[in-house]
Amino acid sequence: MRHQHFVVAGLAIALTAVGARGAAAQDTIKVGLVMPMTGTVAAAGREAVDGAKLYMAQHGDTVAGKKIELIVRDDQSVPDNAKRLAQEMIVNDKVNFFGAGFTPSAMAMAPLATEGKIPTVVMISGTSVVTARSPYYVRTSFTLGQQSGIMADYAIKSGSKKAVMILSDWAPGAEAGKVFEQNFVKGGGHVLDTLKVPLANPDFSPFLQRAHDLQPDTLFVFVPAGEAGTFAKQFAERGMDKSGIKLVGPGDIVDDDDLPHAGDTLNGVVTAGFYSAAHPSTLNKQYVAAYQKATGHRANFISVGGYDGMHLIYEALKKTGGNTDANMVIAAMKGMKWESPRGPISIDPQTRDIVQNVYIRKVEMVNGEPWAIEFKTFPAVKDPLKEMAAK
Ligand code: PHB
């Protein structure tokens, strides 16, 4: 009898607790970011989170009458950790949204987002296939293909014929190389060799030597956020900046996070990228100034993925009236268009992938610091690998 009484009382307490949590959950919408805050791509995690936090600082933490709570968890650049953290955030934190980070982790947590019906904004990953991994994935970052195909076309037009590729050896590097080579060969060019550099602690020197020995007219390089500084240093140490070989690539190799420290080693380097801190719009000037003030450094291409990711969540919630049902949220996100610090962007309603301008930019000194100055715009570019797969 006594025992039963305890059980009933315990259950009542448990139900009260659930009720209280349920009510709280209705007033608070939780956004769980699973980001590489330490480890191999720590620079990217920091930038995406800084971008997301800046958006909230500028736009407040209340949307559609609900309080937005940001929860940031460090996956240490390890996909198994991302999976565990995503699981914990579904079960314990009861998050309503995920922000996914770099490619391996975004891939690892996709089945959990699907199973848990958690709308997820991919804020860092640049690999085409990621958004296809869950019907609840939507991207505000970029794809490497988006930039690399346009880079190849531009290189061909500028007279490039023989290229060597140096690629960070993981999924985004493979996609950058694949799309660059495809377009370069289609344009009559020839890829002499493809050199793959380990993602972790890369030493570019032997690869730069090999590239130099092959005597290409063009060197196409992809290194991820956080590695552009090391690359630029080793490129200059080998005297490659004076070799007459044209260095080209997606925007990652002239990352605005590293560019201010590159001296004149990257002067004249032409890239195809979707974001430059030098993008001359009023919105971007405000963004770069606010980001500088908040973090002490220059905004880069990763930061806008976090910033725009929060915008997408806020605007979707306005449309659903604060309802976090995954199907409603994703329907609200599809086709959304807005002005980002990078320029006009939208979410492709078919693929849930980002559509954005790609700019051809050249590194130039402005007031003593290097900046990637945009001089040609390719409007509303879709991910070419998805376009090809759809044909
Ligand atoms: C990715 O996770 O796909 C990624 C990360 C950093 C980059 C590019 C791609 O600079």
Side-chain angles (χ1 to χ4, degrees):
M1 203 48 206
R2 249 184 96 136
H3 177 70
Q4 201 176 17
H5 177 78
F6 270 129
V7 171
V8 172
L11 189 64
I13 290 166
L15 284 174
T16 310
V18 167
R21 224 176 351 179
Q26 283 168 13
D27 300 332
T28 303
I29 291 174
K30 295 183 180 178
V31 180
L33 306 188
V34 183
M35 291 291 157
M37 303 306 290
T38 56
T40 318
V41 293
R46 170 173 52 78
E47 290 147 358
V49 171
D50 283 346
K53 285 187 173 164
L54 179 59
Y55 188 86
M56 291 186 71
Q58 289 178 337
H59 297 85
D61 62 358
T62 306
V63 182
K66 315 265 176 167
K67 190 161 168 57
I68 308 294
E69 185 188 337
L70 194 69
I71 305 173
V72 179
R73 294 278 151 79
D74 177 13
D75 68 19
Q76 302 171 302
S77 307
V78 177
D80 275 349
N81 291 348
K83 210 161 139 184
R84 176 176 52 76
L85 291 169
Q87 180 79 45
E88 283 173 14
M89 285 209 269
I90 291 172
V91 176
N92 300 337
D93 300 302
K94 307 205 165 12
V95 293
N96 306 98
F97 289 88
F98 277 137
F102 87 137
T103 290
S105 289
M107 300 277 260
M109 58 191 267
L112 293 164
T114 304
E115 182 95 354
K117 295 192 166 45
I118 311 289
T120 301
V121 180
V122 178
M123 297 177 172
I124 296 178
S125 172
T127 309
S128 177
V129 73
V130 161
T131 43
R133 287 298 166 99
S134 170
Y136 303 125
Y137 269 28
V138 179
R139 174 163 21 220
T140 55
S141 45
F142 53 89
T143 74
L144 270 311
Q146 229 169 16
Q147 304 162 78
S148 305
I150 285 173
M151 188 67 252
D153 298 345
Y154 190 79
I156 289 286
K157 259 198 160 157
S158 317
S160 292
K161 291 190 172 61
K162 291 183 294 177
V164 170
M165 303 198 291
I166 294 184
L167 307 171
S168 179
D169 190 12
W170 56 308
E175 289 193 359
K178 179 177 169 177
V179 179
F180 180 85
E181 179 162 16
Q182 205 162 275
N183 286 35
F184 197 70
V185 169
K186 208 194 289 166
H190 182 57
V191 174
L192 303 176
D193 206 354
T194 303
L195 311 174
K196 295 181 184 166
V197 188
L199 170 61
N201 307 311
D203 175 11
F204 300 104
S205 304
F207 302 97
L208 285 166
Q209 185 59 53
R210 166 96 181 124
H212 187 265
D213 293 347
L214 287 163
Q215 300 205 312
D217 52 40
T218 302
L219 182 62
F220 175 81
V221 177
F222 165 71
V223 295
E227 294 185 0
T230 310
F231 177 80
K233 189 167 164 281
Q234 296 184 346
F235 185 75
E237 276 167 7
R238 300 248 132 209
M240 297 276 288
D241 55 335
K242 311 261 169 358
S243 69
I245 300 171
K246 270 188 272 180
L247 173 63
V248 300
D252 314 54
I253 62 167
V254 294
D255 184 347
D256 277 300
D257 202 15
D258 290 314
L259 210 46
H261 319 292
D264 61 2
T265 56
L266 294 172
N267 262 5
V269 169
V270 172
T271 50
F274 65 92
Y275 180 72
S276 168
H279 180 64
S281 70
T282 305
L283 180 64
N284 186 52
K285 283 178 187 153
Q286 289 166 353
Y287 177 70
V288 171
Y291 193 92
Q292 180 79 37
K293 193 162 172 227
T295 66
H297 57 96
R298 205 193 275 181
N300 79 340
F301 70 102
I302 300 282
S303 72
V304 289
Y307 188 83
D308 290 323
M310 290 310 293
H311 177 92
L312 183 60
I313 291 171
Y314 274 41
E315 292 304 311
L317 284 171
K318 285 183 194 168
K319 275 201 188 172
T320 65
N323 194 322
T324 57
D325 172 77
N327 290 311
M328 276 181 75
V329 165
I330 297 299
M333 288 177 168
K334 283 181 178 176
M336 191 102 79
K337 283 185 171 57
W338 71 100
E339 194 196 347
S340 155
R342 63 188 107 174
I345 64 176
S346 67
I347 302 299
D348 186 327
Q350 264 79 49
T351 61
R352 292 167 275 101
D353 213 337
I354 186 162
V355 182
Q356 58 190 336
N357 292 353
V358 172
Y359 309 89
I360 309 287
R361 310 93 50 84
K362 187 182 210 163
V363 176
E364 289 171 22
M365 288 299 205
V366 179
N367 299 328
E369 270 194 9
W371 296 81
I373 306 295
E374 297 167 353
F375 62 90
K376 191 173 169 57
T377 304
F378 291 81
V381 180
K382 292 189 178 188
D383 171 43
L385 288 171
K386 282 201 186 69
E387 294 284 282
M388 272 182 255
K391 274 182 195 150

